[in-house]
């Protein structure tokens, strides 16, 4: 591997904790940072809600190793999977198809971070079920095999 350009360490304000953890780990791996300083280095880049949380938990966090620290972050900042599933069951096509797709895909992406192999047919079926009746019937005839195909058909 050649010389890497200098990248800034990602800040964390409390949003998308799994993505931030992945980015932080990638940074540490790319720059060969010693694991013993990962937690201390990371908390120096906390902002907003994460910074407030760190202040209230500083002693416990400072004594943590990286896996424990990541578990604490998930415990505090990960959205409740049950709430996301409830939203997925109740999401409906109420305005434009594009808006519905954006809202639905955002939920799917959040839910997918909880499992390594999400079932694509499940999400495709849930998406179709939330469409207006007239749009749903047209999409069902096509029998889309994945969410991307169903979204594309709905936009036609």
């Amino acid at each position: 591997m050649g010389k890497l350009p200098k990248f800034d360490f990602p800040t964390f304000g409390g949003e998308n904790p799994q993505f931030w953890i992945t980015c932080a780990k990638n940074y540490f791996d790319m720059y060969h940072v010693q694991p013993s300083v990962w937690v201390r280095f990371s908390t120096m880049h906390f902002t907003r809600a994460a910074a407030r949380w760190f202040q209230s938990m500083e002693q416990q966090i400072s004594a943590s190793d990286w896996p424990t620290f990541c578990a604490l972050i998930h415990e505090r900042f990960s959205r409740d999977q049950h709430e996301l599933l409830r939203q997925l069951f109740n999401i409906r096509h109420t305005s434009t198809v594009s808006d519905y797709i954006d809202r639905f895909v955002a939920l799917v992406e959040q839910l997918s971070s909880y499992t390594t192999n999400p079932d694509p047919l499940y999400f495709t079926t849930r998406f179709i079920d939330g469409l207006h009746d007239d749009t749903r019937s047209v999409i069902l005839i096509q029998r889309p095999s994945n969410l991307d195909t169903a979204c594309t058909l709905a936009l036609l």
Side-chain angles (χ1 to χ4, degrees):
M1 187 163 81
K3 185 168 172 73
L4 292 171
K6 178 66 175 142
F7 291 105
D8 292 331
F9 188 80
T11 59
F12 180 61
E15 303 83 24
N16 299 318
Q18 184 55 51
F19 179 70
W20 177 82
I21 289 169
T22 300
C23 290
K25 176 111 174 46
N26 287 341
Y27 182 96
F28 295 142
D29 289 343
M30 283 188 341
Y31 291 108
H32 307 288
V33 178
Q34 292 299 315
S36 61
V37 298
W38 288 9
V39 172
R40 189 170 355 143
F41 188 83
S42 295
T43 58
M44 293 170 56
H45 295 86
F46 279 12
T47 63
R48 301 182 309 278
R52 291 187 300 274
W53 172 72
F54 174 67
Q55 285 179 325
S56 70
M57 300 277 294
E58 187 170 0
Q59 282 189 326
Q60 183 178 355
I61 292 170
S62 295
S64 300
D65 60 4
W66 183 254
T68 304
F69 175 64
C70 292
L72 289 169
I73 286 175
H74 276 295
E75 184 179 304
R76 169 59 179 87
F77 295 103
S78 288
R79 299 220 29 209
D80 182 18
Q81 187 177 9
H82 294 94
E83 175 57 30
L84 293 171
L85 282 170
R86 253 189 302 294
Q87 289 178 28
L88 188 71
F89 284 124
N90 293 310
I91 191 169
R92 296 286 177 256
H93 174 193
T94 56
S95 61
T96 66
V97 172
S98 293
D99 174 66
Y100 174 62
I101 291 171
D102 290 344
R103 292 182 297 122
F104 190 89
V105 169
L107 282 172
V108 168
E109 289 167 347
Q110 291 177 66
L111 281 165
S112 294
S113 70
Y114 287 96
T115 181
T116 54
N117 296 316
D119 181 5
L121 186 58
Y122 173 76
F123 289 129
T124 303
T125 303
R126 292 298 318 146
F127 173 79
I128 294 169
D129 287 347
L131 288 166
H132 286 156
D133 291 340
D134 55 335
T135 308
R136 182 182 324 117
S137 60
V138 172
I139 303 302
L140 283 172
I141 292 171
Q142 301 295 320
R143 301 181 68 103
S145 59
N146 59 52
L147 182 58
D148 288 338
T149 303
C151 290
T152 301
L153 290 169
L155 286 168
L156 295 178

